[in-house]
């Protein structure tokens, strides 16, 4: 049974189903929620990055008129601790605070002003403790937490790491802390349910993760915790961790009333997880032809006060240090560690932008050392299908590194002056000091969950009189899953109208809307459910007409028999509902070092070329153009694809040039949009976007995730272009005006002589001694998957 | 309470008698007191434009501003047009709203009402804006999803539509 595109089907620029409500301002975001008798929740947060709480007295706060509840750690009925990977974080401070902004108490009152007064009336005595803010010292310092200071240490090698070519380049890079900076601050509304449970409408990325963690804190079984998706105003990883969810539910249960939280912008910066800042040392060696002989890398990521996804992010960074290049000999090591800085976790790219910034700078350095063209060096080393990664996994799907590089090189360079001089429309730059630079970068990003994490989704689809309904737990955070789901239902079912219902925990988990995975996971579950519904519909039509169902097809909403129209989908079975629930799970993956050697589901590849104008006296940069060529499997929706590419590039450009959460003595000094700068429309460059469409095996239509690779590439490519314009090394992002104008910007000195932690199994799930690595790699060799080849 | 003020305010053509605190912003009055939820709370510091409305604060000079920056009481007697005033009465979309949908200028959409408001104002005063003029008109509105390319395309498309040119 063939599938054919119909109006609004797969391959068309179908419009967002939630678009009309959004352009009218009528779409209901979590912050717009309200309920009869609603109370307002407010959080009291620690002013100290590290302190012992010697006394909390809530009596004065509770006595204020209009205050319905004041909760501290003592009032948490279930398990005090939660976390996405390790349950190391208290719902409310458990006698010690470990970062500035840690929730200490929560209040529910009749309005925000009263709740705020009550929070200020909670008396807390702190005994400040020394704040550990240097991640390098974390490795040897007294543990900040009973679980220790190392979230995960990974170490492995392949081939002969000491092999050397004629040229060796060695540098240390630093990446700053980026905030997801979604525009709608965290919000949610919780209420007690008649069965003694709790329900919450919340802007989140992962409904079932929230449900589980709310269950831990409240002591309720999962069936009594109902999570529904409220309108989400951007996410980018920053809503993957629980923030207000548990607090709102605890207060709703304590007061018997609906309780709403809506964070301020400042609180949003304090409450959610940022992108890991990190330091990366890399040594590349190459032969005279430019072929990479060996790569050695070390990574130190500052995970902040609590684990979140730090144990997972570090593996991405370390394993993808090789970049999209064939590396036969290597030695790689990395740590993510605990400090009293803000907790870091998921953000678009998930550890890869850090790696990409470093490995691409190294490739340019190699090219310079060899006197080669930067693109030629990359082409010379480009991964190909069949190659084996340093961590042992074979690239067994399309690996179009060469194609994306050549695709981006084929885009004509912009001619003439830039639209905006450095400094924006104010044109503060003088023409005489403006220099143009051109840089290239190419990156690899793993798609979907890795290392054995369950990566699944379930979809329920029904069809009645041509109207399809799609139900999943996939969080729509702006990325466009709702459009994809509609397109699939139109294409497969020939549905004339499609409704994507509100995601909730009444259906099985769809996993997180992150890791570029929802089109692949939930999209495929929807596709399977649509196929099953179509089979049922056609079986019925076949019986009615005395035909063989195998002869029937659906095209453009018409049921055809042997190619001839028979009836329409809308009229085929009046009043009859066909329904199917289907599950999809990605192929199994395994932890780093496992004999199976399959860590990742698949990869996306992206190449970009940046053209920048730099005023070298003022240090101002204007990004003139970014040309992009990305491997996208297949194009599902050209307009939405372009939006994902452009949005990712501008976010990456932000990290390269302006975005940094500045932390001083453990405190964020710029928690607002006056001092934390994200790109404006003036900063955004012209973007020329081209694609390589090489279908991904095992996926409907050959589709694959596209959301993260553009960001991963934009960081190194903008840095490369600014280096080309200025001749400066610029080993740190964001590149700030003073780095250019004053020649500052070298990364902090890191000695890398840090001893390994006394107990390397502290928290990490994979810590390989060299012998174990040898064993694992030896097994691979026996299986014909030798990384050393 | 001693800091309460009472004033009249016309919002999207409807006249309201408002009681608010001095310290409340126009955005708070719109959202929390009048239930007008089109303007969104993004930063509350006038930096993101999610709460942009078109307002005449009594000086006869209607223009686009961030509702979060206007102390409510200074809007006394004023006229405010939010996103609800853009488009037809039966949910019919304006040319700008249509263009935002067609060009993919909407992702999460939290910035969209502000962008549509600012873009509508721009095209009323300048039907043929250059790229630079579009940027000057919209740089007070932040978008974290789209990278702005689709938004520029939408404004250019709406301008062409308004001039009667084919897309």
């Amino acid at each position: 049974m063939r599938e054919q595109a119909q109006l609004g089907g797969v391959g068309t620029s179908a419009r967002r189903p939630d678009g009309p409500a959004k352009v009218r301002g009528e779409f209901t975001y979590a912050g717009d929620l309200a309920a009869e008798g609603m109370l307002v929740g407010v959080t009291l947060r620690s002013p100290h990055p590290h302190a012992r709480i010697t006394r909390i007295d809530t009596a004065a706060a509770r006595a204020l008129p209009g205050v319905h509840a004041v909760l501290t750690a003592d009032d948490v009925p279930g398990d005090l601790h939660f976390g996405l990977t390790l349950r190391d974080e208290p719902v409310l401070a458990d006698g010690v605070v470990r970062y500035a902004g840690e929730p200490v108490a929560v209040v529910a009152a009749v309005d925000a002003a009263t709740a705020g007064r009550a929070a200020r009336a909670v008396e807390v005595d702190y005994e400040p403790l020394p704040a550990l803010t240097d991640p390098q010292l974390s490795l040897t310092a007294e543990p900040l937490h009973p679980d220790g200071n190392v979230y995960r240490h990974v170490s492995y090698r392949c081939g002969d790491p000491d092999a050397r070519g004629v040229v060796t380049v060695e540098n240390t890079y630093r990446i700053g802390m980026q905030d997801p900076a979604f525009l709608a601050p965290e919000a949610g509304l919780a209420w007690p349910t008649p069965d003694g449970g709790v329900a919450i409408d919340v802007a989140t990325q992962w409904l079932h993760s929230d449900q589980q963690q709310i269950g831990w804190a409240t002591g309720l079984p999962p069936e009594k915790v109902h999570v529904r998706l409220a309108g989400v105003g951007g996410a980018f990883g920053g809503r993957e961790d629980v923030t207000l969810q548990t607090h709102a539910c605890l207060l709703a249960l304590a007061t018997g009333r609906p309780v709403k939280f809506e964070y301020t912008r400042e609180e949003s910066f304090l409450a959610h997880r940022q992108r890991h800042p990190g330091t990366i040392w890399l040594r590349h060696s190459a032969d005279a032809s430019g072929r990479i002989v060996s790569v050695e890398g070390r990574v130190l990521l500052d995970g902040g006060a609590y684990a979140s996804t730090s144990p997972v992010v570090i593996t991405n960074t370390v394993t993808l240090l090789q970049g999209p290049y064939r590396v036969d000999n290597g030695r790689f090591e990395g740590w993510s560690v605990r400090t009293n800085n803000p907790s870091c976790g998921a953000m678009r790219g998930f550890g890869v932008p850090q790696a990409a910034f470093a490995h691409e700078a190294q490739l340019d350095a190699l090219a310079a050392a060899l006197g080669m063209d930067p693109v030629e060096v990359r082409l010379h080393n480009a991964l190909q299908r069949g190659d084996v990664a340093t961590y042992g996994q074979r690239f067994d799907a399309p690996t179009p590194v060469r194609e994306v590089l050549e695709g981006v090189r084929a885009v004509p360079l912009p001619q003439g002056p830039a639209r905006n001089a450095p400094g924006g429309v104010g044109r503060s730059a003088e023409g005489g000091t403006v220099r143009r630079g051109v840089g290239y970068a190419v990156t690899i990003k793993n798609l979907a969950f890795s290392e054995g994490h369950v990566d699944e989704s379930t979809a329920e689809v029904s069809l009645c009189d041509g109207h399809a309904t799609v139900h999943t737990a996939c969080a729509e955070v702006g990325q466009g899953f709702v459009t994809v789901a509609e397109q699939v239902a139109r294409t497969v079912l020939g549905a004339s109208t499609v409704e994507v219902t509100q995601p909730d925990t009444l259906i099985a988990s769809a996993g997180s809307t992150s890791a570029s995975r929802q089109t692949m996971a939930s999209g495929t579950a929807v596709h399977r459910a649509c196929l099953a519904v179509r089979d049922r519909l056609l079986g019925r039509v076949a019986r009615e007409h005395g035909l063989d169902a195998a002869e029937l097809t659906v095209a453009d909403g018409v049921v055809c028999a042997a190619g001839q129209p028979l009836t329409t989908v809308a009229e085929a079975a009046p009043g009859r509902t066909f329904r199917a629930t289907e599950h999809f799970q990605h192929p199994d993956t395994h932890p780093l070092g496992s004999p199976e050697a399959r860590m990742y589901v698949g990869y996306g590849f992206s190449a970009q070329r940046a053209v920048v104008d730099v005023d070298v006296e003022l240090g101002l940069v204007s990004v003139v153009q970014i040309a992009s060529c990305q491997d996208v499997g297949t194009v599902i929706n050209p307009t939405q694809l372009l939006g994902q590419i452009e949005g990712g590039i501008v976010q990456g450009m932000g990290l390269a040039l302006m975005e940094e959460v500045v932390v001083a003595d453990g405190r964020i000094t710029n928690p607002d949009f006056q001092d934390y700068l994200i790109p404006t429309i003036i900063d955004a460059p012209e973007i020329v976007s081209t694609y390589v469409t090489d279908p991904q095996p095992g996926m409907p239509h050959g589709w694959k995730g596209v959301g993260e690779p553009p960001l991963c590439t934009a960081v190194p490519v903008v840095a490369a272009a600014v280096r080309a314009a200025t001749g400066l090394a610029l080993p740190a992002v964001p590149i700030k005006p003073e780095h250019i104008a004053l020649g500052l910007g070298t990364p902090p000195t890191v000695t890398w002589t840090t001893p390994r932690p006394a107990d390397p199994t502290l928290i990490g799930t994979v810590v390989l001694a060299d012998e174990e690595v040898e064993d694992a790699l030896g097994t691979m060799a026996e299986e014909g998957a030798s990384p050393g080849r | 309470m001693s800091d309460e003020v009472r004033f009249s305010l016309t919002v999207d053509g409807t006249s309201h008698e408002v009681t608010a605190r001095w310290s409340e912003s126009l955005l708070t009055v719109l959202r929390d007191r009048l239930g007008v939820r089109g303007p969104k709370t993004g930063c509350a510091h006038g930096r993101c434009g999610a709460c942009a409305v078109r307002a005449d604060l009594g000086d006869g000079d209607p223009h686009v501003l961030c509702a979060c920056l206007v102390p409510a009481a200074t809007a006394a007697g004023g006229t405010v047009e939010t996103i609800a005033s853009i488009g037809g009465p039966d949910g019919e979309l304006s040319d700008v709203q249509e263009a935002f949908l067609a060009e993919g200028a909407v992702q999460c959409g939290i910035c969209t009402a502000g962008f549509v408001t600012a873009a509508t104002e721009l095209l009323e005063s300048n039907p043929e804006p250059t790229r630079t003029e579009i940027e000057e008109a919209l740089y007070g509105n932040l978008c974290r999803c789209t990278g702005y390319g689709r938004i520029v395309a939408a404004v250019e498309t709406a301008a062409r539509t308004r001039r009667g040119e084919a897309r």
Side-chain angles (χ1 to χ4, degrees), chain A residues 99-100 177 269-270 272-274 302-306 339-344 661 663 666-668:
Chain A
Y99 72 97
M177 183 186 290
F269 271 89
L270 298 177
H272 63 229
R273 304 300 177 239
Q274 276 83 12
D302 183 354
Y306 295 105
T339 63
N340 293 120
N341 291 323
S343 291
C344 293
V661 178
V663 181
R667 293 179 177 86
I668 299 177

Side-chain angles (χ1 to χ4, degrees), chain A residues 542-568:
Chain A
R543 282 196 300 279
E544 278 186 358
H545 291 81
L547 297 166
D548 182 353
E551 293 173 47
L552 302 181
T553 57
V554 173
D556 295 335
V558 177
V559 179
C560 297
Q564 296 302 309
L566 186 67
T567 180
T568 64

